[in-house]
Amino acid sequence: MFRLLGTFDFLDYESTILSPTYKRRAKKLSNYDYLNIYILAPEDFIVSKIIRLSKKDISDIEILLKSSDINLINQIINEVLDRKDLIKNKREGFIKNLKLFKENFYV
């Protein structure tokens, strides 16, 4: 088995806290000729971490916020909330932590 990038997870879109427009903001890593690897925008990472808000997530958010657009974060949050295909318990977990996120990070 060929294993270039180490461990990875596959996630269903319906269970993932991503905006439908995340692909527009994702950046392609140009280091590879035959692989198409994209990385999420910092704002998309931040919003995706709201559902857990573990110590590690909070630490990551603090770092990412320094170079992020607050207005874009709020736009992405609204796009996630508008998704009709998001699994119910994921939506509920996101909404539950959203208030805490906004209070802690003044977003």
Side-chain angles (χ1 to χ4, degrees), residues 38-98:
Y38 292 82
I39 187 164
L40 291 174
E43 295 84 357
D44 286 296
F45 271 124
I46 289 169
V47 174
S48 74
K49 290 179 168 290
I50 293 172
I51 193 163
R52 286 188 355 161
L53 283 184
S54 69
K55 277 187 174 184
K56 174 74 171 106
D57 293 317
I58 290 169
S59 176
D60 290 344
I61 290 169
E62 288 171 346
I63 293 167
L64 290 168
L65 270 175
K66 294 174 186 173
S67 62
S68 296
D69 179 339
I70 301 299
N71 291 324
L72 181 55
I73 291 170
N74 282 307
Q75 174 188 327
I76 294 168
I77 288 169
N78 289 331
E79 290 173 1
V80 168
L81 291 172
D82 286 343
R83 282 184 51 193
K84 304 296 183 226
D85 59 349
L86 191 59
I87 292 175
K88 183 180 176 184
N89 68 335
K90 300 293 183 174
R91 174 184 301 282
E92 290 168 353
F94 181 74
I95 291 169
K96 177 183 167 201
N97 286 342
L98 186 56

Side-chain angles (χ1 to χ4, degrees), residues 25-45:
R25 294 178 294 277
K27 302 289 184 211
K28 186 178 188 294
L29 298 182
S30 59
N31 310 21
Y32 307 99
D33 293 329
Y34 301 104
L35 295 173
N36 292 315
I37 300 172
Y38 292 82
I39 187 164
L40 291 174
E43 295 84 357
D44 286 296
F45 271 124

